[in-house]
Amino acid sequence: MKMRKIIIANWKMNPQSLEEAKSIFNGTKRAAAKLKKTLTVVCPPFVYLSTLGSSISKGKLSFQAGAQDLFWKEKGSYTGEISAEMLKSVGAKYVIVGHSERREYFGESNDIVNKKIKAGLKAGLNVVLCVGEKDREPGVFLRYIKDEIEEGLKGIQRVFLKKLIIAYEPIWAIGKKGPAADSPEDVLQMSIYIKKILLPIAGKELMPKIPILYGGSVNPKNAEGFLRDAGVQGLLIGHESLVPEHFGEILKIAEKI
Ligand code: PEP
């Protein structure tokens, strides 16, 4: 069965005003409107989520809003934090967890990521678990990815994994302007490896249904190679998702493959 492509926009801490956010969001929505076989998910900063999420028409399943993070507690004295229920109440259906920038700047360990994944899945959100190595040091980086997945998913019942997505994002390939992305050939090897890790965790029925995405300097020029040859079901896109024309081109490519 051919699964629909999933293209996720991670805006990170951009743009700097709600007005700009509306403009990028509307441009993206227009680009996504014509698509039938591609799911588009836009993950803006928390503060814009409510306004933007509420502008998505109900029943429009191919265009959704998501968040870039969440906290694992349901409510209470956790200054500055946002819960899964809060996200759901403003229309978010997806949440990114364990992005390498959160791991690096906010000290998120696999244990913290695990708590966040549990909270997101338990609340019924689709959770995008980001994994990726800092460099390709032989003998080390494969273990690193394995630990991120196994520890991130520890103790989660299989039934909840139906809403899990894995985004493979090698850290060294993130945020580059030039031809610095990984290669489709290497990502293919990595997607096979990730499936192997997932097999005992998810079981043979569910494992093939867990989408694996690639992220790291994807642009309109290299998107086709990843979507065609890398064994992935979609893409997680950072800086190019802030330019609706470029993001729209990537959506068109996804739709035609
Ligand atoms: C990301 O950080 O999730 C990402 C994919 O960024 P970029 O596309 O800018 O490399």
Side-chain angles (χ1 to χ4, degrees):
M1 189 187 66
K2 208 164 176 220
M3 294 195 279
R4 67 179 173 171
K5 296 278 182 290
I6 304 171
I7 309 293
I8 303 182
N10 175 15
W11 287 6
K12 311 191 182 192
M13 200 172 74
N14 301 292
Q16 282 175 283
S17 72
L18 178 59
E19 281 319 300
E20 282 176 274
K22 280 184 190 163
S23 157
I24 298 169
F25 192 76
N26 290 335
T28 306
K29 199 154 69 168
R30 272 195 298 278
K34 302 159 207 128
L35 311 181
K36 299 210 159 47
K37 297 180 293 176
T38 307
L39 165 67
T40 307
V41 182
V42 179
C43 301
F46 288 136
V47 284
Y48 306 142
L49 197 49
S50 172
T51 309
L52 302 181
S54 62
S55 76
I56 297 176
S57 33
K58 293 231 165 26
K60 184 98 188 95
L61 297 176
S62 61
F63 187 75
Q64 297 290 340
Q68 299 170 20
D69 185 32
L70 84 172
F71 189 56
W72 62 84
K73 294 284 187 182
E74 279 170 30
K75 60 177 182 170
S77 305
Y78 304 102
T79 304
E81 293 300 329
I82 309 278
S83 72
E85 287 303 325
M86 289 173 178
L87 294 178
K88 279 170 54 186
S89 80
V90 294
K93 300 272 190 286
Y94 287 75
V95 62
I96 297 172
V97 174
H99 190 279
S100 58
E101 287 153 12
R102 295 218 54 90
R103 294 178 191 259
E104 181 180 353
Y105 302 123
F106 305 97
E108 290 197 6
S109 61
N110 288 336
D111 184 42
I112 290 176
V113 169
N114 177 251
K115 289 191 176 114
K116 291 187 171 189
I117 297 174
K118 280 179 178 155
L121 291 174
K122 204 171 140 215
L125 288 167
N126 295 280
V127 172
V128 184
L129 163 62
C130 295
V131 298
E133 76 283 359
K134 286 194 188 69
D135 53 46
R136 292 248 161 110
E137 195 186 331
V140 178
F141 79 96
L142 291 176
R143 179 77 236 176
Y144 190 82
I145 303 286
K146 193 166 189 276
D147 287 349
E148 284 190 320
I149 296 174
E150 287 178 350
E151 291 174 27
L153 299 180
K154 203 165 156 185
I156 299 177
Q157 282 174 283
R158 279 188 183 167
V159 55
F160 288 110
L161 299 179
K162 283 185 190 147
K163 290 204 161 188
L164 177 75
I165 296 171
I166 304 272
Y168 170 58
E169 298 208 298
I171 298 171
W172 51 270
I174 288 180
K176 304 286 181 343
K177 298 278 180 227
D182 203 343
S183 68
E185 297 74 29
D186 281 1
V187 175
L188 175 62
Q189 294 307 317
M190 198 53 89
S191 62
I192 294 168
Y193 178 62
I194 290 172
K195 284 178 189 157
K196 261 193 206 156
I197 301 168
L198 286 174
L199 187 59
I201 300 171
K204 66 177 188 317
E205 295 283 309
L206 190 56
M207 182 280 282
K209 296 186 186 138
I210 298 178
I212 298 174
L213 316 183
Y214 168 72
S217 299
V218 175
N219 58 45
K221 287 204 183 87
N222 62 21
E224 179 158 359
F226 289 114
L227 289 169
R228 219 181 261 291
D229 305 322
V232 294
Q233 204 187 318
L235 303 166
L236 178 54
I237 300 177
H239 63 275
E240 288 284 33
S241 69
L242 293 160
V243 187
E245 299 75 42
H246 294 189
F247 191 69
E249 277 183 56
I250 296 171
L251 291 179
K252 261 196 224 155
I253 293 167
E255 180 77 358
K256 79 166 196 250
I257 288 177

